[in-house]
Amino acid sequence: MKKRLLFVFMVMCALGAKSQTTSWTADNGNGTFTNPLFYDEFSDPDILRVGDDYYLAGTTMHSVPGLVILHSKDLVNWENAGYCFDRFDFDDDAFALKNHKEIYGQGIWAPCIRYANGQFYVFSNVNGKGLQCYTSKNVAGPWEHHNMEGRIYDLSVLFDDDGKIYAIHGYGEVRCTELKPDMSGPKEETERVIIPEGSAVGEGHHMYKKDGMYYLISTDYLPNGRTLCSRSKSIWGPYETRVITADETFGYHAASLTQVPRGEQYRIGHDGTAFGIPEIDKDATACTNIHQGGIVEDQNGQWWALLMMDFHSIGRTVTLAPMTWVDGWPMLGLEGNLGRAPRTWFKPNIATDVKPHAPYERSENFNGKQLGRVWQWNHNPDERMWSLKKGRLRINAMPAEQLMWARNTLTQRVIGPTSITTVELYTKGMKDGDVAGLGNINVPCSWIGIVKDGRQTTLRCFEQATNDTIDQQLSSTQLRDKIWLRMVGDYDHDRATYYYSLDGQHFTAMGRTMPLSYQLITFQGSRHALFAFNKNGRQGGYAEFDNFTVEEPQADRSGNIPYDKTFRIVNLATDKLMMAQPHGLVYDLDARAANGRNEQLTRFRLIDRGQGRVALQCADGRYVFVSGMGLPGDVRLTTDASQAEEFLWQDYLNHEFMLMSTRTHRYIGKSPTTGSPYSMDFAGADPARRNGAVLRWEEVK
């Protein structure tokens, strides 16, 4: 109920929202960062450091420009450095959505970025085309394309000390193949199995060499996501393997995955009611935990992991976690809590002055000569059929059955946790049969927009999940060539609603609050889409778009820590108040019993220690401290401020948080089942946030 009220409140705010440009950045501005690094999709991350510069390459599937590369100086703040190519250069209709051919769920994916011989290399696979390599002396390009062919995918590449180049690839049975130095292809008869099937090793490989030892980071998905490290003194093995992280979900349960009926292949024009978006087990980890990605050593010798997680309808996104070497193994996390990772942690100790910033400017007024770098086309566009003219984006309507077949659809990833996207649509150039608007490219898809049928103009909201069409006829006095379209998304809870306005001030909902999904059909999360097509199978007119804005109500997190406030703490697992008992222990209390002296003992304040570090003080003046190992009964109260435990505040948004000891790297919490008092021995949150470690604060006036 509380989550629904939050969404309703957000929608109400959206209807009267004024434009603001604050966008999610992991940097908290106080020397710490909060995961995820980006609150939008970035799949299959591979990390590279060259001197003082960091580069992150990621999957782009069927979208172009393709193979994105980000750049950073501090591993926390990133910007777009460019793409390896503007469009697929294969002479194949499928890459351009022509003649009912497509590459949804295919395209280019799982890149590996390396630097050697004075140039950058990005390796990746294109379904049906084999191994691809892009080389450039400048990360901003231009890039030279080498089609290496061969059946090598989901790979890592190692430039070894002896000058040989190895590709490591395969699922379960891991193989190593030597590559030709000129990138013309694999060396014949060099492929060998280096880790046999049955070793619990998966895919998504990242190979490194340190102190003469070969380290292979990989991911296994059965029965759920785990990240493993295999090591050997020889590239050819034998390897021994350990799990280096598991079950770190940051308190996010698995995403709902769109299901296709058994025995049926997905068809783009499919009746959406055949799809299923099933209820999920909120206690299950699945692949929501951080898993696939690369590791990197910073300038001070500290190692970091940049791993992805399946992040609800947003898709897959990237997290940053410190690593600790133990007995020659690169373990994720910190001493005292290995295998888990803090959601909020201290930024890398790198001597650089970088102001917090988002990787993209998401809003676009289309006044420039080029599109912003956040935009990608859905498949190769027809360059003759779109333009930037007089401060607007013009898309000519080409024949298509529905949105997923519409050519020249311009997309950008949705951003969470909540966002409000609005665009102005000009309809004067639309002709009979034309359809244009704002959509969500996903499976199932949806959109809101204008349909022209002869002289009739219809406002339509379509949702493929229910195969539902809602129409509203518009007269010429209602629609004067311009309409405002809006999508309000709550992506942490996988739901969105469409709105429209005839004056840009008053917005009206159209259709239901839709469930959203992540899915392994296109291997992408939700994407905003600006589109125009002709449903009558002919060349149509054109639609124009202007003032595309993205507002993020939760991007400003400066007030999320309740400094200078008196507040109560509610345990999400028990829905009871934290209480500082007269006996000297920290326990809990039913809110109905919180009166008189009991009420005073449920009120707390924070003592600011800087950089998100805090001490917790009861309103009666006593401080929370930990005696011993942090087991139940060790979390106590003292009047001695010097003994107060120092916590690093873990921001879980919406007033939810965890408290991690900076001394032991473990979290305070209370079991919802044993009846024991609070302890300091929790490894982290479970996917449903009901193991007793996740708390919520409520201000007391």
PDB file of all heavy atoms in Angstrom, residues 486-502:
ATOM      1  N   ARG A 486       3.420  12.090 -22.586  1.00  0.00           N
ATOM      2  CA  ARG A 486       4.238  11.887 -21.381  1.00  0.00           C
ATOM      3  C   ARG A 486       4.161  10.428 -20.936  1.00  0.00           C
ATOM      4  O   ARG A 486       3.123   9.769 -21.061  1.00  0.00           O
ATOM      5  CB  ARG A 486       3.750  12.807 -20.262  1.00  0.00           C
ATOM      6  CG  ARG A 486       4.403  12.586 -18.901  1.00  0.00           C
ATOM      7  CD  ARG A 486       3.996  13.668 -17.908  1.00  0.00           C
ATOM      8  NE  ARG A 486       4.682  14.927 -18.223  1.00  0.00           N
ATOM      9  CZ  ARG A 486       4.492  16.065 -17.551  1.00  0.00           C
ATOM     10  NH1 ARG A 486       3.618  16.108 -16.549  1.00  0.00           N
ATOM     11  NH2 ARG A 486       5.168  17.153 -17.873  1.00  0.00           N
ATOM     12  N   MET A 487       5.292   9.954 -20.411  1.00  0.00           N
ATOM     13  CA  MET A 487       5.343   8.638 -19.762  1.00  0.00           C
ATOM     14  C   MET A 487       5.939   8.830 -18.379  1.00  0.00           C
ATOM     15  O   MET A 487       7.031   9.381 -18.231  1.00  0.00           O
ATOM     16  CB  MET A 487       6.183   7.650 -20.568  1.00  0.00           C
ATOM     17  CG  MET A 487       6.297   6.265 -19.941  1.00  0.00           C
ATOM     18  SD  MET A 487       7.170   5.119 -21.047  1.00  0.00           S
ATOM     19  CE  MET A 487       7.421   3.716 -19.962  1.00  0.00           C
ATOM     20  N   VAL A 488       5.217   8.379 -17.360  1.00  0.00           N
ATOM     21  CA  VAL A 488       5.688   8.440 -15.979  1.00  0.00           C
ATOM     22  C   VAL A 488       6.048   7.023 -15.554  1.00  0.00           C
ATOM     23  O   VAL A 488       5.193   6.133 -15.558  1.00  0.00           O
ATOM     24  CB  VAL A 488       4.611   9.033 -15.048  1.00  0.00           C
ATOM     25  CG1 VAL A 488       5.096   9.020 -13.602  1.00  0.00           C
ATOM     26  CG2 VAL A 488       4.270  10.455 -15.469  1.00  0.00           C
ATOM     27  N   GLY A 489       7.301   6.802 -15.233  1.00  0.00           N
ATOM     28  CA  GLY A 489       7.773   5.458 -14.918  1.00  0.00           C
ATOM     29  C   GLY A 489       8.295   5.320 -13.505  1.00  0.00           C
ATOM     30  O   GLY A 489       9.035   6.181 -13.017  1.00  0.00           O
ATOM     31  N   ASP A 490       7.894   4.248 -12.851  1.00  0.00           N
ATOM     32  CA  ASP A 490       8.440   3.845 -11.547  1.00  0.00           C
ATOM     33  C   ASP A 490       9.137   2.515 -11.791  1.00  0.00           C
ATOM     34  O   ASP A 490       8.531   1.448 -11.703  1.00  0.00           O
ATOM     35  CB  ASP A 490       7.300   3.705 -10.532  1.00  0.00           C
ATOM     36  CG  ASP A 490       7.793   3.230  -9.171  1.00  0.00           C
ATOM     37  OD1 ASP A 490       9.008   3.063  -9.006  1.00  0.00           O
ATOM     38  OD2 ASP A 490       6.945   3.023  -8.277  1.00  0.00           O
ATOM     39  N   TYR A 491      10.412   2.588 -12.134  1.00  0.00           N
ATOM     40  CA  TYR A 491      11.104   1.419 -12.658  1.00  0.00           C
ATOM     41  C   TYR A 491      11.583   0.473 -11.575  1.00  0.00           C
ATOM     42  O   TYR A 491      11.792  -0.713 -11.858  1.00  0.00           O
ATOM     43  CB  TYR A 491      12.246   1.882 -13.573  1.00  0.00           C
ATOM     44  CG  TYR A 491      11.726   2.724 -14.706  1.00  0.00           C
ATOM     45  CD1 TYR A 491      11.904   4.104 -14.721  1.00  0.00           C
ATOM     46  CD2 TYR A 491      10.981   2.149 -15.731  1.00  0.00           C
ATOM     47  CE1 TYR A 491      11.386   4.889 -15.739  1.00  0.00           C
ATOM     48  CE2 TYR A 491      10.452   2.921 -16.752  1.00  0.00           C
ATOM     49  CZ  TYR A 491      10.660   4.288 -16.750  1.00  0.00           C
ATOM     50  OH  TYR A 491      10.126   5.056 -17.750  1.00  0.00           O
ATOM     51  N   ASP A 492      11.732   0.933 -10.354  1.00  0.00           N
ATOM     52  CA  ASP A 492      12.037   0.014  -9.261  1.00  0.00           C
ATOM     53  C   ASP A 492      10.870  -0.936  -9.011  1.00  0.00           C
ATOM     54  O   ASP A 492      11.059  -2.050  -8.524  1.00  0.00           O
ATOM     55  CB  ASP A 492      12.348   0.780  -7.974  1.00  0.00           C
ATOM     56  CG  ASP A 492      13.820   1.136  -7.862  1.00  0.00           C
ATOM     57  OD1 ASP A 492      14.559   0.894  -8.836  1.00  0.00           O
ATOM     58  OD2 ASP A 492      14.241   1.652  -6.813  1.00  0.00           O
ATOM     59  N   HIS A 493       9.659  -0.474  -9.337  1.00  0.00           N
ATOM     60  CA  HIS A 493       8.470  -1.298  -9.123  1.00  0.00           C
ATOM     61  C   HIS A 493       7.819  -1.715 -10.441  1.00  0.00           C
ATOM     62  O   HIS A 493       6.682  -2.203 -10.448  1.00  0.00           O
ATOM     63  CB  HIS A 493       7.473  -0.556  -8.232  1.00  0.00           C
ATOM     64  CG  HIS A 493       8.043  -0.208  -6.894  1.00  0.00           C
ATOM     65  ND1 HIS A 493       8.335   1.085  -6.513  1.00  0.00           N
ATOM     66  CD2 HIS A 493       8.424  -0.995  -5.863  1.00  0.00           C
ATOM     67  CE1 HIS A 493       8.855   1.075  -5.294  1.00  0.00           C
ATOM     68  NE2 HIS A 493       8.917  -0.167  -4.879  1.00  0.00           N
ATOM     69  N   ASP A 494       8.522  -1.482 -11.564  1.00  0.00           N
ATOM     70  CA  ASP A 494       8.132  -2.026 -12.863  1.00  0.00           C
ATOM     71  C   ASP A 494       6.717  -1.622 -13.281  1.00  0.00           C
ATOM     72  O   ASP A 494       5.868  -2.464 -13.590  1.00  0.00           O
ATOM     73  CB  ASP A 494       8.246  -3.555 -12.853  1.00  0.00           C
ATOM     74  CG  ASP A 494       9.648  -4.037 -12.560  1.00  0.00           C
ATOM     75  OD1 ASP A 494      10.595  -3.368 -13.005  1.00  0.00           O
ATOM     76  OD2 ASP A 494       9.813  -5.064 -11.872  1.00  0.00           O
ATOM     77  N   ARG A 495       6.478  -0.311 -13.350  1.00  0.00           N
ATOM     78  CA  ARG A 495       5.167   0.158 -13.780  1.00  0.00           C
ATOM     79  C   ARG A 495       5.291   1.551 -14.378  1.00  0.00           C
ATOM     80  O   ARG A 495       6.190   2.322 -14.038  1.00  0.00           O
ATOM     81  CB  ARG A 495       4.185   0.159 -12.611  1.00  0.00           C
ATOM     82  CG  ARG A 495       4.649   0.974 -11.429  1.00  0.00           C
ATOM     83  CD  ARG A 495       3.853   0.646 -10.184  1.00  0.00           C
ATOM     84  NE  ARG A 495       4.352   1.379  -9.032  1.00  0.00           N
ATOM     85  CZ  ARG A 495       4.017   1.119  -7.777  1.00  0.00           C
ATOM     86  NH1 ARG A 495       3.164   0.148  -7.523  1.00  0.00           N
ATOM     87  NH2 ARG A 495       4.508   1.830  -6.783  1.00  0.00           N
ATOM     88  N   ALA A 496       4.356   1.855 -15.269  1.00  0.00           N
ATOM     89  CA  ALA A 496       4.381   3.153 -15.938  1.00  0.00           C
ATOM     90  C   ALA A 496       2.977   3.508 -16.403  1.00  0.00           C
ATOM     91  O   ALA A 496       2.122   2.640 -16.599  1.00  0.00           O
ATOM     92  CB  ALA A 496       5.341   3.138 -17.115  1.00  0.00           C
ATOM     93  N   THR A 497       2.745   4.805 -16.612  1.00  0.00           N
ATOM     94  CA  THR A 497       1.465   5.315 -17.090  1.00  0.00           C
ATOM     95  C   THR A 497       1.724   6.376 -18.154  1.00  0.00           C
ATOM     96  O   THR A 497       2.651   7.181 -18.020  1.00  0.00           O
ATOM     97  CB  THR A 497       0.653   5.931 -15.930  1.00  0.00           C
ATOM     98  OG1 THR A 497       0.507   4.968 -14.891  1.00  0.00           O
ATOM     99  CG2 THR A 497      -0.731   6.360 -16.406  1.00  0.00           C
ATOM    100  N   TYR A 498       0.896   6.368 -19.196  1.00  0.00           N
ATOM    101  CA  TYR A 498       0.964   7.395 -20.232  1.00  0.00           C
ATOM    102  C   TYR A 498      -0.013   8.536 -19.917  1.00  0.00           C
ATOM    103  O   TYR A 498      -1.088   8.321 -19.343  1.00  0.00           O
ATOM    104  CB  TYR A 498       0.615   6.817 -21.601  1.00  0.00           C
ATOM    105  CG  TYR A 498       1.698   5.958 -22.199  1.00  0.00           C
ATOM    106  CD1 TYR A 498       1.497   4.596 -22.412  1.00  0.00           C
ATOM    107  CD2 TYR A 498       2.923   6.503 -22.572  1.00  0.00           C
ATOM    108  CE1 TYR A 498       2.486   3.804 -22.970  1.00  0.00           C
ATOM    109  CE2 TYR A 498       3.914   5.726 -23.125  1.00  0.00           C
ATOM    110  CZ  TYR A 498       3.696   4.375 -23.325  1.00  0.00           C
ATOM    111  OH  TYR A 498       4.681   3.595 -23.879  1.00  0.00           O
ATOM    112  N   TYR A 499       0.386   9.736 -20.353  1.00  0.00           N
ATOM    113  CA  TYR A 499      -0.439  10.938 -20.192  1.00  0.00           C
ATOM    114  C   TYR A 499      -0.376  11.746 -21.487  1.00  0.00           C
ATOM    115  O   TYR A 499       0.537  11.591 -22.295  1.00  0.00           O
ATOM    116  CB  TYR A 499       0.075  11.814 -19.042  1.00  0.00           C
ATOM    117  CG  TYR A 499      -0.083  11.194 -17.675  1.00  0.00           C
ATOM    118  CD1 TYR A 499       0.819  10.237 -17.213  1.00  0.00           C
ATOM    119  CD2 TYR A 499      -1.125  11.575 -16.838  1.00  0.00           C
ATOM    120  CE1 TYR A 499       0.674   9.662 -15.958  1.00  0.00           C
ATOM    121  CE2 TYR A 499      -1.271  11.011 -15.581  1.00  0.00           C
ATOM    122  CZ  TYR A 499      -0.374  10.054 -15.153  1.00  0.00           C
ATOM    123  OH  TYR A 499      -0.528   9.497 -13.913  1.00  0.00           O
ATOM    124  N   TYR A 500      -1.349  12.651 -21.643  1.00  0.00           N
ATOM    125  CA  TYR A 500      -1.321  13.592 -22.754  1.00  0.00           C
ATOM    126  C   TYR A 500      -1.815  14.940 -22.263  1.00  0.00           C
ATOM    127  O   TYR A 500      -2.492  15.064 -21.230  1.00  0.00           O
ATOM    128  CB  TYR A 500      -2.184  13.106 -23.919  1.00  0.00           C
ATOM    129  CG  TYR A 500      -3.670  13.193 -23.659  1.00  0.00           C
ATOM    130  CD1 TYR A 500      -4.410  14.324 -24.040  1.00  0.00           C
ATOM    131  CD2 TYR A 500      -4.343  12.157 -23.018  1.00  0.00           C
ATOM    132  CE1 TYR A 500      -5.769  14.412 -23.786  1.00  0.00           C
ATOM    133  CE2 TYR A 500      -5.707  12.234 -22.763  1.00  0.00           C
ATOM    134  CZ  TYR A 500      -6.412  13.364 -23.139  1.00  0.00           C
ATOM    135  OH  TYR A 500      -7.750  13.451 -22.881  1.00  0.00           O
ATOM    136  N   SER A 501      -1.477  15.976 -23.018  1.00  0.00           N
ATOM    137  CA  SER A 501      -1.943  17.328 -22.703  1.00  0.00           C
ATOM    138  C   SER A 501      -2.164  18.078 -24.010  1.00  0.00           C
ATOM    139  O   SER A 501      -1.398  17.910 -24.969  1.00  0.00           O
ATOM    140  CB  SER A 501      -0.921  18.071 -21.838  1.00  0.00           C
ATOM    141  OG  SER A 501      -1.300  19.426 -21.661  1.00  0.00           O
ATOM    142  N   LEU A 502      -3.184  18.892 -24.034  1.00  0.00           N
ATOM    143  CA  LEU A 502      -3.471  19.724 -25.207  1.00  0.00           C
ATOM    144  C   LEU A 502      -2.969  21.148 -25.037  1.00  0.00           C
ATOM    145  O   LEU A 502      -3.026  21.935 -25.988  1.00  0.00           O
ATOM    146  CB  LEU A 502      -4.975  19.728 -25.496  1.00  0.00           C
ATOM    147  CG  LEU A 502      -5.574  18.357 -25.839  1.00  0.00           C
ATOM    148  CD1 LEU A 502      -7.099  18.453 -25.953  1.00  0.00           C
ATOM    149  CD2 LEU A 502      -4.974  17.800 -27.119  1.00  0.00           C
TER     150      LEU A 502
END
